[in-house]
Amino acid sequence: MCRGSAVYQVKVDLSNLGYACSCPSRKFPCKHVLGLLMLRAASPEAAPQSSEPDWVTDWLSRRRERAEKKSAPVEQEAAPATDEKVVDEKAQRRRAQQRESRVSDGLERLDVWLKDVVRNGLANVETKPAPFWEEQAKRLVDAQAGGMAARVSRWSEIPRSGRDWPTRLLIELGLAKLLIQAWQRFDSLDASLQQDVRQLLGWNVSQAELEQDGERVVDLWLVAGQRTEDEDRIRVQRSWIVGRATGRWGMVLQFAPHNQSFADVIVPGSEQAGEVVFYPGAARQRAKFLIREQVTGVADRPPGVDTIEMFLHHIADALARLPWLTVFGAILHDVTITMHDDRWYVRDRDGHCLPIAGRDHWRLLALTGGHPVDVAGEWDGYCLRPLGLYLNGVYRVL
């Protein structure tokens, strides 16, 4: 029970993080469900085990019945043998060839445009309005290369964003050129890299492909941090997970319209035993939970790296396998929060530093008291965005 302006019945199934609440909130999950999960993760003793009330038993029973109905096989009469399947397969191959042709045409036009931008000089794009970039992105959408379209659309934010914006924009243009060349030489690439190139250009991995080609890893997974961003008409959620035994990092990526909740409830700062499948490719960064068991709070120090040099070495290895990676999860052990020339940094025991995203981290400094702590964050190649920290035996979500 939760007492607020009224008394609400709050329920969470820790086996798969299903939830329900009797409150009238239109947000899913509501604050009562989130509060219960945070209480359970931070202070397990505050939610002692006891016999479940009838309203919880009924709810769990209905959930089991629905799950059984979904998993029950559907009996169908054998269809007479026809040649429809052959026709469908031919149509499917034809559609695939048509899309590949459209993507090739779209990338050829983009290649010409990129050459013009570089030939005219980056100074000419400094004052270009957003439609200058959006027009190219729309053409790529029409060419069914949505992944490249999203990449081009983000370029509009780079000019005049800092003193080093020409360097950052040139790097992005170079990576786009590299992706175009990879598509043009697609047949000569390794199979794993072919998977990545297709995904980067906009092809989705089907559930059947994921089950067949994905890598399954069983571990105790710590949700080190989470970040949600708005992109056009959808919200994008990145949850960074790391395995206790394997030290394996994964990014669980979810999408949802602005007025809807994400399909899976993933609580940052929690741990859960389970099985994760990594999407096929050379980097195998993106992941998805297949099996999740009981969720708990972070009991012990999270796995991480002891020096910034070691962390950057891991990043270099990942980029050598897949140069188009843009974000990485990280847990840095024993770093201090410091400021120099109005810029914030994390500094390791060797005196090496990484810049922190943002300009106001006094609260973070106050939490640490200037002492070394373990900081979890998201690295984008330029700065680290803190997402959590392990302090005095407690994991805090930022």
Side-chain angles (χ1 to χ4, degrees):
M1 291 289 189
C2 176
R3 182 178 297 276
S5 57
V7 178
Y8 303 121
Q9 295 176 340
V10 190
K11 306 171 284 288
V12 178
D13 186 352
L14 293 180
S15 64
N16 54 19
L17 286 184
Y19 59 88
C21 181
S22 61
C23 75
S25 174
R26 295 184 179 180
K27 294 184 178 180
F28 304 100
C30 67
K31 61 184 179 182
H32 308 115
V33 171
L34 294 176
L36 180 60
L37 287 170
M38 293 176 66
L39 179 65
R40 179 66 175 81
S43 305
E45 68 281 357
Q49 293 185 359
S50 61
S51 59
E52 59 192 36
D54 293 340
W55 50 275
V56 173
T57 303
D58 294 341
W59 177 69
L60 291 173
S61 177
R62 291 194 299 270
R63 284 177 58 81
R64 283 192 293 268
E65 290 176 1
R66 288 195 296 269
E68 290 173 357
K69 289 181 181 179
K70 288 182 179 180
S71 60
V74 179
E75 296 183 359
Q76 295 180 344
E77 295 182 0
T82 64
D83 60 348
E84 291 182 1
K85 184 176 181 181
V86 177
V87 174
D88 289 341
E89 289 179 351
K90 289 182 179 179
Q92 189 175 22
R93 286 196 297 269
R94 184 171 62 253
R95 288 194 297 270
Q97 292 171 355
Q98 289 174 347
R99 179 176 182 180
E100 291 174 359
S101 178
R102 282 193 287 267
V103 169
S104 296
D105 292 342
L107 293 182
E108 287 180 6
R109 290 192 295 269
L110 177 65
D111 193 21
V112 173
W113 181 78
L114 289 175
K115 291 176 182 177
D116 290 340
V117 170
V118 175
R119 185 184 303 110
N120 293 329
L122 297 186
N124 288 326
V125 304
E126 185 175 7
T127 58
K128 293 289 186 183
F132 174 76
W133 311 95
E134 293 172 356
E135 181 62 29
Q136 297 302 319
K138 291 178 181 178
R139 292 178 181 177
L140 289 167
V141 170
D142 294 338
Q144 293 186 277
M148 181 67 91
R151 183 179 291 268
V152 173
S153 181
R154 290 193 294 267
W155 294 348
S156 63
E157 302 173 1
I158 298 179
R160 295 183 293 179
S161 61
R163 289 181 297 180
D164 63 340
W165 75 262
T167 300
R168 292 191 287 118
L169 180 58
L170 188 60
I171 290 174
E172 289 295 328
L173 298 180
L175 289 173
K177 175 66 175 180
L178 184 63
L179 187 53
I180 293 172
Q181 290 183 332
W183 176 253
Q184 293 170 344
R185 304 176 185 179
F186 187 80
D187 292 338
S188 65
L189 303 178
D190 293 338
S192 59
L193 192 54
Q194 287 180 345
Q195 292 270 13
D196 285 313
V197 170
R198 288 176 64 87
Q199 293 175 50
L200 287 165
L201 290 175
W203 271 271
N204 295 322
V205 178
S206 67
Q207 186 64 33
E209 291 174 322
L210 184 60
E211 293 178 355
Q212 177 181 344
D213 302 327
E215 178 188 2
R216 297 170 182 255
V217 180
V218 177
D219 207 334
L220 178 62
W221 298 97
L222 163 66
V223 185
Q226 190 176 88
R227 190 176 179 202
T228 302
E229 295 179 314
D230 292 332
E231 292 186 2
D232 295 330
R233 294 182 294 253
I234 63 172
R235 291 182 301 138
V236 181
Q237 182 192 79
R238 293 192 296 272
S239 300
W240 293 100
I241 61 175
V242 57
R244 283 280 185 187
T246 61
R248 185 73 176 270
W249 276 91
M251 178 184 67
V252 181
L253 192 62
Q254 295 196 92
F255 303 91
H258 286 290
N259 59 345
Q260 296 183 19
S261 59
F262 294 103
D264 293 331
V265 179
I266 302 174
V267 182
S270 65
E271 282 188 331
Q272 49 203 285
E275 183 178 18
V276 165
V277 59
F278 286 86
Y279 279 64
R284 295 185 182 267
Q285 182 191 66
R286 186 180 175 186
K288 179 181 179 180
F289 275 109
L290 291 180
I291 300 174
R292 291 193 288 170
E293 299 179 358
Q294 186 165 345
V295 180
T296 64
V298 179
D300 302 308
R301 187 185 195 188
V305 293
D306 295 331
T307 65
I308 290 175
E309 183 179 5
M310 186 183 302
F311 167 65
L312 294 179
H313 180 73
H314 293 330
I315 299 302
D317 285 343
L319 289 173
R321 294 192 298 272
L322 190 67
W324 299 284
L325 291 174
T326 57
V327 287
F328 309 86
I331 296 181
L332 306 176
H333 285 166
D334 297 325
V335 294
T336 55
I337 310 301
T338 184
M339 186 174 64
H340 178 70
D341 289 341
D342 200 32
R343 186 74 187 269
W344 291 88
Y345 299 87
V346 290
R347 182 173 59 191
D348 67 7
R349 62 191 183 190
D350 295 335
H352 297 150
C353 297
L354 289 178
I356 306 177
R359 304 183 63 84
D360 186 6
H361 292 288
W362 292 106
R363 177 177 175 271
L364 183 58
L365 181 61
L367 284 172
T368 65
H371 300 293
V373 295
D374 298 343
V375 174
E378 182 181 84
W379 172 252
D380 65 0
Y382 301 97
C383 57
L384 181 75
R385 183 175 300 276
L387 300 176
L389 58 87
Y390 187 73
L391 177 65
N392 297 328
V394 177
Y395 192 89
R396 297 175 178 268
V397 177
L398 299 175

